[in-house]
Amino acid sequence: MILSDADILRRLEAGDLVVEPLDDPDIQIQPASVDLRLGREFLEFQHANIPCIHPNSEQETEDYTDRVEVPEDGEYILHPGDFVLGTTRERVEIPDDLIAHVEGRSSLGRLAIVVHATAGLCDPGYKGQITLELSNLGTAPVALTPGMRISQLTFTELKTPADRPYGEDRGSKYQDQSGPQASKIQGDREFGGDQ
């Protein structure tokens, strides 16, 4: 079952679902979703002098990414073909009986802005800001401003709460993240990690 605005408000008031700061519930809570705003931090991918990215090498990340912070009243220009990691301003906490889906906003989609490449899911138990995988599929640069509504979360209720929710007990890589986070795939078992 997908939560409606009334369900979302009820869960927020009960405190088991957290979206904070939720500065303008009248605007941010939609009929079946919550709009999230763009944060100020971005992780840019540079053209690096490496032959390719090796998913099992954490050190390479520093060779091809730069962290950028935009002033509150500034803007981030996303050029055609660019891919950058951004973050939501809001921190979320998803209870064990819900799953959250990160979706783009239609108004930005019509400007050719995509907010996630593949990672559109917040597992039960997830806590932290959400890293956005921002791309401009259009032909013109688009100015993104901190605080603008950039994405939306929908919530689906699970038939039963997760037995093993996302978090420390699972060794989850992105729990309690703040700001955009580069891939931590090198922690996966197939690359010698424990996850």
Side-chain angles (χ1 to χ4, degrees), residues 71-117:
E72 190 64 38
D73 61 348
E75 55 188 26
Y76 185 89
I77 307 300
L78 191 60
H79 293 274
D82 276 359
F83 175 80
V84 65
L85 298 179
T87 188
T88 59
R89 181 172 282 181
E90 290 80 10
R91 180 181 188 282
V92 302
E93 294 183 14
I94 311 300
D96 296 350
D97 67 331
L98 293 181
I99 194 166
H101 305 271
V102 181
E103 306 289 349
R105 293 187 63 226
S106 171
S107 296
L108 287 170
R110 294 165 198 231
L111 298 175
I113 299 300
V114 177
V115 300
H116 71 80

Short mmCIF file of all heavy atoms in Angstrom, two decimals, residues 71-117:
data_model
loop_
_atom_site.label_atom_id
_atom_site.label_comp_id
_atom_site.label_asym_id
_atom_site.label_seq_id
_atom_site.Cartn_x
_atom_site.Cartn_y
_atom_site.Cartn_z
N PRO A 71 27.07 28.49 -2.24
CA PRO A 71 26.47 29.37 -1.23
C PRO A 71 24.94 29.24 -1.21
O PRO A 71 24.33 28.88 -2.23
CB PRO A 71 26.88 30.78 -1.68
CG PRO A 71 27.99 30.58 -2.65
CD PRO A 71 27.82 29.22 -3.25
N GLU A 72 24.36 29.54 -0.08
CA GLU A 72 22.90 29.42 0.08
C GLU A 72 22.14 30.18 -1.00
O GLU A 72 21.12 29.73 -1.49
CB GLU A 72 22.48 29.91 1.47
CG GLU A 72 21.05 29.61 1.82
CD GLU A 72 20.74 28.12 1.92
OE1 GLU A 72 21.57 27.35 2.42
OE2 GLU A 72 19.64 27.73 1.49
N ASP A 73 22.65 31.34 -1.39
CA ASP A 73 21.98 32.14 -2.42
C ASP A 73 22.60 31.94 -3.80
O ASP A 73 22.32 32.68 -4.73
CB ASP A 73 21.99 33.62 -2.03
CG ASP A 73 23.40 34.17 -1.90
OD1 ASP A 73 24.38 33.38 -1.88
OD2 ASP A 73 23.55 35.40 -1.81
N GLY A 74 23.43 30.92 -3.95
CA GLY A 74 24.10 30.65 -5.22
C GLY A 74 23.32 29.67 -6.07
O GLY A 74 22.16 29.36 -5.81
N GLU A 75 23.99 29.18 -7.09
CA GLU A 75 23.37 28.19 -7.97
C GLU A 75 24.45 27.24 -8.50
O GLU A 75 25.63 27.60 -8.57
CB GLU A 75 22.61 28.84 -9.12
CG GLU A 75 23.41 29.78 -9.95
CD GLU A 75 22.57 30.55 -10.97
OE1 GLU A 75 21.36 30.75 -10.76
OE2 GLU A 75 23.15 30.94 -11.99
N TYR A 76 24.02 26.06 -8.83
CA TYR A 76 24.90 25.06 -9.42
C TYR A 76 24.42 24.86 -10.85
O TYR A 76 23.25 24.53 -11.07
CB TYR A 76 24.84 23.74 -8.64
CG TYR A 76 25.83 22.74 -9.16
CD1 TYR A 76 27.12 22.70 -8.66
CD2 TYR A 76 25.48 21.86 -10.19
CE1 TYR A 76 28.06 21.81 -9.16
CE2 TYR A 76 26.41 20.97 -10.69
CZ TYR A 76 27.70 20.95 -10.18
OH TYR A 76 28.62 20.08 -10.68
N ILE A 77 25.30 25.08 -11.81
CA ILE A 77 24.93 24.94 -13.22
C ILE A 77 25.23 23.50 -13.65
O ILE A 77 26.38 23.07 -13.64
CB ILE A 77 25.69 25.93 -14.12
CG1 ILE A 77 25.54 27.36 -13.61
CG2 ILE A 77 25.23 25.79 -15.57
CD1 ILE A 77 24.13 27.88 -13.56
N LEU A 78 24.18 22.78 -14.03
CA LEU A 78 24.32 21.41 -14.51
C LEU A 78 24.26 21.44 -16.04
O LEU A 78 23.22 21.75 -16.63
CB LEU A 78 23.21 20.53 -13.94
CG LEU A 78 23.36 19.03 -14.12
CD1 LEU A 78 24.64 18.51 -13.45
CD2 LEU A 78 22.15 18.29 -13.55
N HIS A 79 25.39 21.15 -16.66
CA HIS A 79 25.51 21.24 -18.11
C HIS A 79 25.02 19.97 -18.80
O HIS A 79 24.99 18.90 -18.20
CB HIS A 79 26.97 21.51 -18.49
CG HIS A 79 27.44 22.86 -18.06
ND1 HIS A 79 27.25 23.99 -18.81
CD2 HIS A 79 28.06 23.26 -16.92
CE1 HIS A 79 27.74 25.03 -18.17
NE2 HIS A 79 28.24 24.62 -17.02
N PRO A 80 24.64 20.06 -20.06
CA PRO A 80 24.21 18.88 -20.81
C PRO A 80 25.26 17.78 -20.75
O PRO A 80 26.45 18.04 -20.91
CB PRO A 80 24.03 19.40 -22.24
CG PRO A 80 23.73 20.86 -22.07
CD PRO A 80 24.55 21.29 -20.88
N GLY A 81 24.82 16.58 -20.48
CA GLY A 81 25.70 15.43 -20.40
C GLY A 81 26.43 15.27 -19.08
O GLY A 81 27.09 14.27 -18.86
N ASP A 82 26.31 16.25 -18.19
CA ASP A 82 26.99 16.16 -16.89
C ASP A 82 26.30 15.16 -15.97
O ASP A 82 25.08 14.96 -16.04
CB ASP A 82 27.01 17.52 -16.18
CG ASP A 82 28.16 18.40 -16.62
OD1 ASP A 82 28.96 17.96 -17.47
OD2 ASP A 82 28.24 19.53 -16.13
N PHE A 83 27.12 14.56 -15.12
CA PHE A 83 26.63 13.70 -14.04
C PHE A 83 27.33 14.17 -12.78
O PHE A 83 28.55 14.34 -12.75
CB PHE A 83 26.98 12.23 -14.33
CG PHE A 83 26.63 11.31 -13.19
CD1 PHE A 83 25.32 10.89 -13.02
CD2 PHE A 83 27.58 10.89 -12.28
CE1 PHE A 83 24.98 10.05 -11.97
CE2 PHE A 83 27.26 10.05 -11.23
CZ PHE A 83 25.94 9.62 -11.08
N VAL A 84 26.56 14.42 -11.73
CA VAL A 84 27.10 14.91 -10.46
C VAL A 84 26.29 14.31 -9.33
O VAL A 84 25.10 14.01 -9.50
CB VAL A 84 27.06 16.46 -10.43
CG1 VAL A 84 25.64 16.98 -10.45
CG2 VAL A 84 27.80 17.02 -9.25
N LEU A 85 26.92 14.09 -8.20
CA LEU A 85 26.19 13.65 -7.02
C LEU A 85 25.81 14.87 -6.20
O LEU A 85 26.66 15.73 -5.92
CB LEU A 85 27.03 12.69 -6.17
CG LEU A 85 27.44 11.38 -6.85
CD1 LEU A 85 28.29 10.54 -5.91
CD2 LEU A 85 26.23 10.60 -7.32
N GLY A 86 24.55 14.97 -5.84
CA GLY A 86 24.07 16.03 -4.96
C GLY A 86 23.50 15.39 -3.71
O GLY A 86 23.64 14.18 -3.49
N THR A 87 22.85 16.19 -2.89
CA THR A 87 22.26 15.68 -1.66
C THR A 87 20.97 16.42 -1.37
O THR A 87 20.76 17.55 -1.84
CB THR A 87 23.25 15.83 -0.48
OG1 THR A 87 22.72 15.17 0.66
CG2 THR A 87 23.50 17.29 -0.13
N THR A 88 20.14 15.78 -0.60
CA THR A 88 18.93 16.46 -0.13
C THR A 88 19.29 17.30 1.09
O THR A 88 20.25 17.01 1.80
CB THR A 88 17.84 15.45 0.28
OG1 THR A 88 18.34 14.60 1.32
CG2 THR A 88 17.39 14.62 -0.92
N ARG A 89 18.53 18.35 1.30
CA ARG A 89 18.70 19.14 2.52
C ARG A 89 18.15 18.34 3.71
O ARG A 89 18.70 18.38 4.80
CB ARG A 89 17.94 20.46 2.37
CG ARG A 89 18.08 21.35 3.59
CD ARG A 89 17.51 22.71 3.37
NE ARG A 89 18.47 23.48 2.58
CZ ARG A 89 18.28 24.73 2.21
NH1 ARG A 89 17.17 25.36 2.53
NH2 ARG A 89 19.19 25.36 1.50
N GLU A 90 17.09 17.60 3.45
CA GLU A 90 16.44 16.86 4.53
C GLU A 90 17.18 15.58 4.87
O GLU A 90 17.77 14.93 4.02
CB GLU A 90 15.00 16.49 4.13
CG GLU A 90 14.05 17.66 4.05
CD GLU A 90 14.18 18.46 2.76
OE1 GLU A 90 14.87 18.00 1.82
OE2 GLU A 90 13.59 19.54 2.69
N ARG A 91 17.10 15.23 6.13
CA ARG A 91 17.55 13.93 6.64
C ARG A 91 16.29 13.11 6.86
O ARG A 91 15.29 13.63 7.35
CB ARG A 91 18.29 14.13 7.96
CG ARG A 91 18.82 12.86 8.56
CD ARG A 91 19.53 13.15 9.90
NE ARG A 91 20.19 11.98 10.39
CZ ARG A 91 19.59 10.97 11.00
NH1 ARG A 91 18.27 11.01 11.20
NH2 ARG A 91 20.26 9.91 11.41
N VAL A 92 16.33 11.85 6.47
CA VAL A 92 15.15 10.98 6.64
C VAL A 92 15.49 9.80 7.54
O VAL A 92 16.65 9.43 7.67
CB VAL A 92 14.62 10.47 5.27
CG1 VAL A 92 14.25 11.63 4.36
CG2 VAL A 92 15.60 9.55 4.59
N GLU A 93 14.47 9.27 8.16
CA GLU A 93 14.56 8.01 8.89
C GLU A 93 13.35 7.18 8.47
O GLU A 93 12.21 7.59 8.68
CB GLU A 93 14.55 8.23 10.41
CG GLU A 93 15.78 8.96 10.91
CD GLU A 93 15.81 9.13 12.42
OE1 GLU A 93 15.02 8.46 13.13
OE2 GLU A 93 16.63 9.94 12.88
N ILE A 94 13.63 6.03 7.86
CA ILE A 94 12.58 5.18 7.32
C ILE A 94 12.34 4.04 8.31
O ILE A 94 13.26 3.28 8.62
CB ILE A 94 12.96 4.60 5.94
CG1 ILE A 94 13.47 5.71 5.00
CG2 ILE A 94 11.81 3.83 5.34
CD1 ILE A 94 12.48 6.81 4.71
N PRO A 95 11.11 3.89 8.82
CA PRO A 95 10.84 2.80 9.77
C PRO A 95 10.92 1.43 9.10
O PRO A 95 10.91 1.32 7.87
CB PRO A 95 9.43 3.10 10.27
CG PRO A 95 8.82 3.98 9.25
CD PRO A 95 9.93 4.72 8.57
N ASP A 96 10.98 0.39 9.92
CA ASP A 96 11.19 -0.98 9.44
C ASP A 96 10.04 -1.54 8.60
O ASP A 96 10.21 -2.56 7.95
CB ASP A 96 11.45 -1.92 10.62
CG ASP A 96 12.73 -1.57 11.36
OD1 ASP A 96 13.51 -0.73 10.86
OD2 ASP A 96 12.95 -2.14 12.45
N ASP A 97 8.88 -0.87 8.62
CA ASP A 97 7.75 -1.39 7.85
C ASP A 97 7.44 -0.56 6.60
O ASP A 97 6.40 -0.73 5.98
CB ASP A 97 6.51 -1.48 8.74
CG ASP A 97 5.99 -0.12 9.17
OD1 ASP A 97 6.80 0.84 9.28
OD2 ASP A 97 4.77 0.00 9.40
N LEU A 98 8.36 0.35 6.24
CA LEU A 98 8.17 1.16 5.03
C LEU A 98 9.39 1.06 4.14
O LEU A 98 10.51 0.82 4.60
CB LEU A 98 7.97 2.64 5.37
CG LEU A 98 6.71 3.07 6.10
CD1 LEU A 98 6.73 4.59 6.30
CD2 LEU A 98 5.46 2.65 5.37
N ILE A 99 9.16 1.28 2.85
CA ILE A 99 10.25 1.46 1.89
C ILE A 99 9.95 2.79 1.19
O ILE A 99 8.79 3.11 0.93
CB ILE A 99 10.32 0.28 0.90
CG1 ILE A 99 11.60 0.29 0.14
CG2 ILE A 99 9.13 0.24 -0.01
CD1 ILE A 99 11.88 -1.00 -0.59
N ALA A 100 11.00 3.58 0.96
CA ALA A 100 10.81 4.88 0.31
C ALA A 100 11.43 4.84 -1.08
O ALA A 100 12.49 4.25 -1.28
CB ALA A 100 11.44 5.99 1.14
N HIS A 101 10.75 5.44 -2.03
CA HIS A 101 11.21 5.51 -3.41
C HIS A 101 11.55 6.96 -3.74
O HIS A 101 10.71 7.84 -3.56
CB HIS A 101 10.13 5.02 -4.37
CG HIS A 101 9.63 3.65 -4.05
ND1 HIS A 101 10.20 2.50 -4.54
CD2 HIS A 101 8.61 3.24 -3.24
CE1 HIS A 101 9.56 1.45 -4.07
NE2 HIS A 101 8.59 1.87 -3.27
N VAL A 102 12.77 7.20 -4.21
CA VAL A 102 13.19 8.53 -4.63
C VAL A 102 12.74 8.72 -6.07
O VAL A 102 13.10 7.93 -6.95
CB VAL A 102 14.72 8.69 -4.52
CG1 VAL A 102 15.15 10.10 -4.94
CG2 VAL A 102 15.21 8.36 -3.13
N GLU A 103 12.00 9.77 -6.30
CA GLU A 103 11.46 10.04 -7.63
C GLU A 103 11.83 11.46 -8.04
O GLU A 103 12.02 12.33 -7.20
CB GLU A 103 9.93 9.91 -7.64
CG GLU A 103 9.41 8.59 -7.11
CD GLU A 103 9.65 7.42 -8.04
OE1 GLU A 103 10.06 7.65 -9.20
OE2 GLU A 103 9.46 6.28 -7.61
N GLY A 104 11.89 11.68 -9.34
CA GLY A 104 12.10 13.03 -9.84
C GLY A 104 10.79 13.82 -9.82
O GLY A 104 9.72 13.23 -9.73
N ARG A 105 10.92 15.12 -9.88
CA ARG A 105 9.74 15.97 -10.00
C ARG A 105 9.46 16.19 -11.49
O ARG A 105 10.37 16.45 -12.26
CB ARG A 105 9.96 17.30 -9.30
CG ARG A 105 10.07 17.16 -7.79
CD ARG A 105 10.11 18.51 -7.09
NE ARG A 105 8.86 19.22 -7.33
CZ ARG A 105 8.79 20.50 -7.69
NH1 ARG A 105 9.88 21.22 -7.84
NH2 ARG A 105 7.62 21.09 -7.88
N SER A 106 8.21 16.15 -11.85
CA SER A 106 7.80 16.32 -13.24
C SER A 106 8.30 17.63 -13.82
O SER A 106 8.77 17.68 -14.96
CB SER A 106 6.27 16.24 -13.33
OG SER A 106 5.82 16.59 -14.60
N SER A 107 8.23 18.69 -13.04
CA SER A 107 8.65 20.01 -13.54
C SER A 107 10.13 20.02 -13.92
O SER A 107 10.52 20.69 -14.89
CB SER A 107 8.38 21.09 -12.49
OG SER A 107 7.00 21.19 -12.26
N LEU A 108 10.97 19.30 -13.19
CA LEU A 108 12.39 19.23 -13.54
C LEU A 108 12.64 18.22 -14.66
O LEU A 108 13.51 18.42 -15.50
CB LEU A 108 13.23 18.89 -12.31
CG LEU A 108 13.37 20.05 -11.32
CD1 LEU A 108 13.99 19.57 -10.02
CD2 LEU A 108 14.18 21.17 -11.92
N GLY A 109 11.87 17.14 -14.67
CA GLY A 109 11.97 16.18 -15.76
C GLY A 109 11.70 16.84 -17.10
O GLY A 109 12.31 16.49 -18.11
N ARG A 110 10.81 17.82 -17.12
CA ARG A 110 10.49 18.54 -18.35
C ARG A 110 11.60 19.48 -18.78
O ARG A 110 11.58 20.03 -19.89
CB ARG A 110 9.18 19.31 -18.18
CG ARG A 110 8.01 18.36 -18.00
CD ARG A 110 6.78 19.08 -17.48
NE ARG A 110 5.85 18.12 -16.92
CZ ARG A 110 4.58 18.05 -17.23
NH1 ARG A 110 4.07 18.87 -18.11
NH2 ARG A 110 3.81 17.15 -16.66
N LEU A 111 12.59 19.66 -17.87
CA LEU A 111 13.81 20.42 -18.20
C LEU A 111 14.97 19.46 -18.47
O LEU A 111 16.11 19.89 -18.57
CB LEU A 111 14.17 21.37 -17.07
CG LEU A 111 13.15 22.46 -16.74
CD1 LEU A 111 13.60 23.25 -15.52
CD2 LEU A 111 12.93 23.37 -17.95
N ALA A 112 14.66 18.15 -18.54
CA ALA A 112 15.64 17.08 -18.83
C ALA A 112 16.56 16.79 -17.65
O ALA A 112 17.63 16.23 -17.84
CB ALA A 112 16.43 17.39 -20.09
N ILE A 113 16.14 17.13 -16.43
CA ILE A 113 16.94 16.84 -15.24
C ILE A 113 16.45 15.53 -14.63
O ILE A 113 15.26 15.37 -14.32
CB ILE A 113 16.86 17.97 -14.20
CG1 ILE A 113 17.39 19.27 -14.80
CG2 ILE A 113 17.61 17.60 -12.93
CD1 ILE A 113 18.83 19.22 -15.25
N VAL A 114 17.40 14.60 -14.44
CA VAL A 114 17.12 13.30 -13.82
C VAL A 114 17.77 13.31 -12.44
O VAL A 114 18.91 13.76 -12.30
CB VAL A 114 17.71 12.16 -14.69
CG1 VAL A 114 17.51 10.81 -14.04
CG2 VAL A 114 17.10 12.19 -16.07
N VAL A 115 17.07 12.80 -11.42
CA VAL A 115 17.59 12.86 -10.05
C VAL A 115 18.21 11.55 -9.57
O VAL A 115 18.89 11.54 -8.54
CB VAL A 115 16.54 13.33 -9.02
CG1 VAL A 115 16.03 14.72 -9.36
CG2 VAL A 115 15.41 12.34 -8.87
N HIS A 116 17.98 10.46 -10.28
CA HIS A 116 18.68 9.23 -9.91
C HIS A 116 18.90 8.36 -11.14
O HIS A 116 18.04 8.25 -12.00
CB HIS A 116 17.97 8.46 -8.79
CG HIS A 116 16.68 7.80 -9.17
ND1 HIS A 116 16.63 6.60 -9.83
CD2 HIS A 116 15.40 8.16 -8.96
CE1 HIS A 116 15.36 6.25 -10.01
NE2 HIS A 116 14.59 7.19 -9.51
N ALA A 117 20.11 7.80 -11.18
CA ALA A 117 20.46 6.93 -12.30
C ALA A 117 19.89 5.54 -12.06
O ALA A 117 19.23 4.97 -12.92
CB ALA A 117 21.98 6.86 -12.46
#
